[in-house]
Amino acid sequence: MISVDEARAKILKDIHPVGTEVVALSSAFGRVMTEDARSRRTQPPADMSAMDGFAVRAADLDTIPTTLKIIGEVPAGGAYDGAVKAGEAVRIFTGAPLPPDTDTIVIQEDTDFNDHSVTIKEGAARGTYVRPAGLDFREGDIGLKAPRILSPRDIGLLAAMNRPWVTVRRKPRIALLSTGDELVRPGEPIGPNQIISSNSLLVAALVEAAGGEAIDLGIAKDNASSLREKVQDAKSADMLITLGGASVGDHDLIQPVLGKEGLSVDFWRIAMRPGKPLMFGKFAGIPMLGMPGNPVSSMICSFLFLIPAIDALRGIEPRHPPRQKAWLSHELKENDQREDYMRATVLGEKDGLPVVKLFAKQDSSMLSPLSAADCLIVRPPFAKALGKNDMVDMIPLTQPYPVV
């Protein structure tokens, strides 16, 4: 068996970024931009008013109060092109360009006005409430540098820079193949000895959340011909994930069958719990992860290995589940030679750190504790027994991979 860190290093060593495509800005959220984005315009394009009020010459405000003649009005999207002379003002609204010769905005709350004149009751320094041209950015400026996962804020900036299209990594295509006579899809008739296939949907959701595109290859029966048939569609993907059948039992066919189809295996056992029978290799020239059949094992293996692999395919630094310290609310026995990932819930807080309690049953087939869990408690190999109020490492499950 190899360690979790060794396994991750071996997997990432063989992962290379996928190609690029040009997409509309409306479809770019969460995608990895691959080229620096330069602005195609200056923002704002001219000196603009930041408030509703009056555009004036600061020189006319030396004496307060003062009364100025109103010679025009300019709304947002409009313009006043005439000259503004001493003793004159223009009614202006937020977002409108300043008329020539004006340099200051007096907000309407500081005035009394009618249709013909305005009395300025409070003075204002030159440039007050004026957004100068290029305040945000200028044409040709690099607004965003690549590579970058595009957030909603980035989408707004690109739009303001007048960039309707953006070059991004295409979504990595991750093929998912479940195996086993005992599996049926949700909603299908269930035989007396069958179970619902939940793994593929769980892992597919993680793939989509990580920025990939999940391709469901269906369920292969426990025979060589079914497995060979189903796996053919994986050859157009960027990575193949098999779910179940990766161990060494009589009905575990991944290694013997796909080995004859060109599968080369790098490793297939990891010193971790759950997830020990994880296989990694190459099939048809693409990376392949053979995950255990139990859903909790698949989820944890996806956290540790699949999501960082998708990051590498997207051309960004692989993320790893963030860890933090927590207080244990009960005793915990010593660990064996495998790194342990245990489902737990957060009871509260002490001294700024969470207080956690492990679920009594940690069977890797149980999805209800997985759904209810707030975190995973991580224990290194051969960890000593712990008592109540001892400190442990935890991985939060609420937002393990924020996109924005």
Side-chain angles (χ1 to χ4, degrees):
M1 293 189 294
I2 64 174
S3 71
V4 169
D5 289 340
E6 288 176 297
R8 185 187 291 118
K10 283 177 174 287
I11 292 169
L12 294 177
K13 181 181 177 181
D14 278 344
I15 303 293
H16 305 287
V18 298
T20 62
E21 62 183 357
V22 177
V23 300
L25 193 56
S26 58
S27 301
F29 167 68
R31 303 293 292 275
V32 178
M33 187 181 71
T34 59
E35 298 177 358
D36 293 349
R38 292 184 180 273
S39 176
R40 299 174 59 197
R41 62 171 280 127
T42 295
Q43 177 64 26
D47 293 349
M48 299 285 190
S49 176
M51 301 289 283
D52 294 344
F54 293 87
V56 302
R57 299 151 51 106
D60 285 335
L61 305 181
D62 289 342
T63 300
I64 297 297
T66 186
T67 299
L68 306 176
K69 178 182 178 183
I70 299 175
I71 61 171
E73 180 178 292
V74 52
Y80 183 86
D81 297 326
V84 180
K85 301 176 183 177
E88 296 178 338
V90 174
R91 182 85 165 102
I92 197 167
F93 296 89
T94 303
L98 266 66
D101 305 317
T102 64
D103 52 30
T104 303
I105 303 298
V106 177
I107 59 174
Q108 62 186 25
E109 292 88 340
D110 291 340
T111 68
D112 289 324
F113 62 95
N114 54 40
D115 291 342
H116 307 290
S117 65
V118 55
T119 298
I120 311 296
K121 299 185 295 182
E122 296 288 341
R126 182 186 301 272
T128 298
Y129 296 124
V130 174
R131 295 172 178 155
L135 172 66
D136 201 349
F137 49 79
R138 293 190 173 274
E139 183 175 352
D141 285 352
I142 296 178
L144 295 173
K145 294 189 69 64
R148 185 182 184 94
I149 302 175
L150 293 173
S151 70
R153 293 169 286 126
D154 297 333
I155 299 298
L157 175 57
L158 290 168
M161 290 163 54
N162 197 26
R163 298 193 63 93
W165 308 91
V166 61
T167 301
V168 297
R169 292 276 175 204
R170 62 172 177 80
K171 290 187 176 184
R173 297 186 293 267
I174 311 300
L176 305 176
L177 177 61
S178 301
T179 65
D181 291 340
E182 74 279 13
L183 300 178
V184 297
R185 294 180 182 276
E188 292 182 345
I190 306 173
N193 300 309
Q194 292 185 302
I195 60 173
I196 304 298
S197 175
S198 59
N199 263 8
S200 59
L201 292 173
L202 185 157
V203 176
L206 284 170
V207 167
E208 299 284 344
E213 176 186 350
I215 303 170
D216 187 358
L217 301 184
I219 301 172
K221 298 297 182 181
D222 283 330
N223 61 72
S225 61
S226 176
L227 181 55
R228 280 195 296 264
E229 177 188 352
K230 292 288 187 182
V231 83
Q232 296 308 310
D233 290 336
K235 294 180 179 179
S236 63
D238 300 302
M239 192 171 191
L240 169 63
I241 308 298
T242 59
L243 301 164
S247 192
V248 292
D250 291 344
H251 297 282
D252 293 315
L253 302 178
I254 296 297
Q255 291 197 56
V257 173
L258 297 191
K260 296 178 181 179
E261 301 290 318
L263 170 65
S264 60
V265 176
D266 190 327
F267 64 82
W268 68 274
R269 290 194 303 171
I270 303 179
M272 63 180 289
R273 180 193 299 108
K276 173 184 173 182
L278 179 80
M279 178 196 305
F280 175 70
K282 280 197 172 181
F283 175 76
I286 64 172
M288 174 202 161
L289 275 176
M291 291 199 184
N294 283 322
V296 178
S297 302
S298 294
M299 192 282 291
I300 292 175
C301 287
S302 294
F303 258 33
L304 297 179
F305 308 114
L306 175 56
I307 293 178
I310 292 174
D311 287 341
L313 287 168
R314 298 172 76 207
I316 59 175
E317 186 68 24
R319 295 165 290 180
H320 303 311
R323 296 191 184 190
Q324 66 180 85
K325 296 295 184 181
W327 302 108
L328 192 61
S329 67
H330 52 82
E331 294 180 349
L332 189 59
K333 66 180 181 180
E334 63 184 8
N335 195 20
D336 60 15
Q337 74 271 22
R338 292 193 281 171
E339 188 164 291
D340 212 347
Y341 293 81
M342 310 174 76
R343 287 155 285 172
T345 186
V346 175
L347 299 179
E349 185 178 289
K350 186 182 81 169
D351 299 332
L353 294 177
V355 177
V356 296
K357 177 182 179 181
L358 275 70
F359 289 101
K361 295 182 180 180
Q362 293 288 326
D363 190 290
S364 60
S365 69
M366 297 176 63
L367 280 167
S368 52
L370 178 64
S371 179
D374 301 308
C375 60
L376 297 173
I377 300 304
V378 185
R379 302 201 71 209
F382 304 109
K384 296 180 180 179
L386 297 176
K388 182 178 179 179
N389 294 325
D390 280 346
M391 193 167 285
V392 291
D393 286 333
M394 64 169 275
I395 297 174
L397 293 181
T398 49
Q399 289 184 321
Y401 290 101
V403 176
V404 296

